[in-house]
């Protein structure tokens, strides 16, 4: 009996389940280390009485930045030292078509959200009016929220569609990767305000599947990042509706009014907690799965679909061919 079998696969590599556990452990350790450092800095700033403008916004950006740094750091550690893979295998380098993928994703996210809002509005459940706030306040709020939504979405993509999904894809277990990343992604929203337990969980799990499909179609984080941030930004900044139960934009372009019923609109949680959101997510997922607008580069496909991808001569020849 081979005592190494529970740990080492037929390719002589650590099994994907253990790699996933190492990633989670590395992520938690890095987050604890970095957040402790930030807390020390906060204490020093507080003692000195230094005033920080837009303190809540800065604190939120720092928190999301810590999640992002921890996820990318843990992903790199596992890629480099466990699997012997380069940084670019995480799908966040400026590869060929990266900006195109980001733009396509941003349009898909915005149009998908508009579909959900349109369904609710057509049913007479939502009504909108142009904001009466000062134009400068709207511009600052809409622009500033875009920065926050990009950072927040990138952090979540690195956590859930980064190394965890990628290493299971290399093990030919993409379906398991989608399940093991989409369910925790949904569970992470349980503590948001005004959660509609059943519907919120289903819709957020669907959103996790939607974003996983976006990753698998390109093997890059740029497409799911575009889809993710633009959905949230359009929801809060353009339509003035709650984003997963949170009112994150103080001066949106439009003011949305929820007329109910809540099973369509999601009530105080927002469109992501109602049937309109469910329909839009399903339609958009099917579109992403079938569209020919996007495709992975040969190198990224190889790095994320083989248990022991070659990262030397073969990859160099692929790059030369591109």
């Amino acid at each position: 009996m081979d005592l190494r079998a529970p740990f080492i696969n037929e390719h002589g590599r650590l099994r994907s389940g253990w790699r996933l556990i190492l990633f989670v452990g590395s992520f938690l350790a890095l987050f604890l280390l970095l957040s402790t450092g930030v807390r020390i800095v906060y204490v020093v700033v507080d003692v000195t009485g230094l005033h920080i403008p837009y303190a809540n916004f800065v604190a939120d950006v720092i928190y999301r930045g810590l999640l992002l740094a921890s996820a990318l750091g843990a992903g790199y550690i596992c890629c480099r030292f466990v699997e012997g893979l380069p940084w670019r295998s995480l799908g966040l380098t400026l590869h060929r078509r990266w900006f195109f993928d980001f733009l396509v994703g941003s349009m898909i996210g915005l149009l998908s959200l508009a579909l959900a809002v349109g369904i609710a509005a057509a049913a007479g459940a939502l009504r909108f009016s142009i904001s009466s706030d000062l134009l400068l306040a709207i511009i600052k709020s809409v622009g500033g929220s875009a920065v926050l939504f990009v950072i927040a979405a990138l952090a979540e993509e690195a956590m859930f569609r980064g190394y965890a999904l990628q290493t299971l894809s290399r093990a030919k277990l993409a379906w398991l990767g989608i399940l093991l990343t989409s369910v925790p992604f949904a569970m992470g929203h349980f503590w948001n305000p005004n959660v509609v337990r059943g519907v919120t969980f289903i819709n957020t799990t669907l959103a996790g599947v939607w974003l996983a499909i976006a990753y698998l179609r390109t093997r890059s984080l740029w497409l799911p990042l575009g889809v993710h941030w633009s959905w949230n930004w359009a929801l809060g900044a353009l339509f003035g509706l709650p984003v997963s139960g949170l009112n994150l934009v103080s001066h949106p372009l439009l003011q949305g009014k929820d007329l109910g019923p809540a099973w369509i609109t999601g009530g105080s949680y927002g469109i992501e907690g109602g049937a309109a959101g469910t329909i839009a997510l399903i339609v958009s997922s099917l579109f992403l799965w079938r569209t020919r607008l996007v495709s992975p580069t040969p190198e990224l496909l190889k790095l994320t679909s083989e248990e022991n991808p070659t990262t030397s001569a073969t990859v160099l020849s692929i790059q030369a061919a591109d």
Side-chain angles (χ1 to χ4, degrees):
M1 178 180 178
D2 187 357
L3 296 179
R4 300 197 319 159
F7 304 97
I8 306 299
N9 62 24
E10 64 273 20
H11 301 281
R13 297 165 68 82
L14 189 67
R15 291 190 179 278
S16 57
W18 295 112
R19 301 198 300 255
L20 184 59
I21 290 172
L22 283 175
F23 168 73
V24 174
S26 299
F27 168 78
L28 293 175
L30 282 173
F31 184 74
L32 178 61
L33 177 64
L34 293 174
S35 59
T36 299
V38 169
R39 287 191 182 97
I40 293 172
V41 173
Y42 173 78
V43 170
V44 173
V45 170
D46 188 54
V47 169
T48 59
L50 181 65
H51 172 69
I52 300 178
Y54 305 106
N56 290 336
F57 176 81
V58 171
D60 205 354
V61 169
I62 291 174
Y63 170 68
R64 306 291 181 174
L66 290 176
L67 291 175
L68 174 60
S70 301
L72 291 178
Y76 175 71
I77 289 170
C78 291
C79 276
R80 179 69 180 84
F81 299 104
V82 178
E83 297 196 65
L85 297 174
W87 162 261
R88 61 184 178 274
S89 67
L90 289 172
L92 203 56
T93 55
L94 305 184
H95 59 80
R96 182 173 60 88
R97 289 169 62 92
W98 74 270
F99 191 60
F100 177 79
D101 289 344
F102 177 72
L103 286 180
V104 169
S106 297
M107 288 302 301
I108 290 173
L110 194 155
L111 292 174
S112 300
L113 188 278
L115 174 61
V117 169
I119 291 170
L126 288 178
R127 183 181 298 164
F128 297 93
S129 59
I130 297 176
S131 175
S132 59
D133 295 334
L134 293 175
L135 180 60
L136 181 59
I138 294 174
I139 292 173
K140 289 173 62 177
S141 185
V142 169
S145 65
V147 174
L148 177 60
F149 284 128
V150 168
I151 296 173
L154 184 54
E156 292 188 357
E157 292 313 301
M159 290 168 60
F160 296 105
R161 263 66 63 180
Y163 181 80
L165 177 58
Q166 294 161 12
T167 196
L168 289 171
S169 295
R170 279 189 284 275
K172 310 298 184 185
L173 295 171
W175 62 270
L176 181 60
I178 293 174
L179 176 65
L180 292 181
T181 56
S182 298
V183 171
F185 178 67
M187 292 174 65
H189 292 74
F190 276 173
W191 292 270
N192 286 24
N194 308 307
V195 165
V196 185
R197 289 293 177 182
V199 180
T200 298
F201 177 76
I202 292 171
N203 277 3
T204 313
T205 301
L206 280 174
V209 174
W210 179 47
L211 294 166
I213 291 172
Y215 167 74
L216 292 170
R217 288 305 317 275
T218 58
R219 306 305 172 106
S220 164
L221 292 177
W222 293 108
L223 182 66
L225 171 60
V227 170
H228 194 159
W229 91 270
S230 60
W231 169 285
N232 288 343
W233 179 74
L235 187 54
L238 297 187
F239 292 104
L241 296 171
V243 181
S244 301
L246 301 169
N247 293 303
L248 298 174
V249 183
S250 55
H251 303 285
L253 182 64
L254 300 175
Q255 294 288 350
K257 184 177 181 180
D258 189 338
L259 304 175
W263 67 268
I264 294 178
T265 66
S268 299
Y269 188 80
I271 204 78
E272 295 162 316
T278 308
I279 296 170
L281 287 169
I282 292 173
V283 169
S284 188
S285 296
L286 292 173
F287 173 79
L288 269 173
W289 184 256
R290 302 286 298 179
T291 184
R292 296 184 179 181
L293 286 173
V294 294
S295 60
T297 66
E299 182 190 18
L300 283 176
L301 182 61
K302 183 174 183 63
L303 288 172
T304 57
S305 61
E306 296 181 15
E307 180 62 39
N308 191 16
T310 303
T311 59
S312 55
T314 303
V315 168
L316 288 175
S317 66
I318 291 173
Q319 290 176 316
D322 287 347

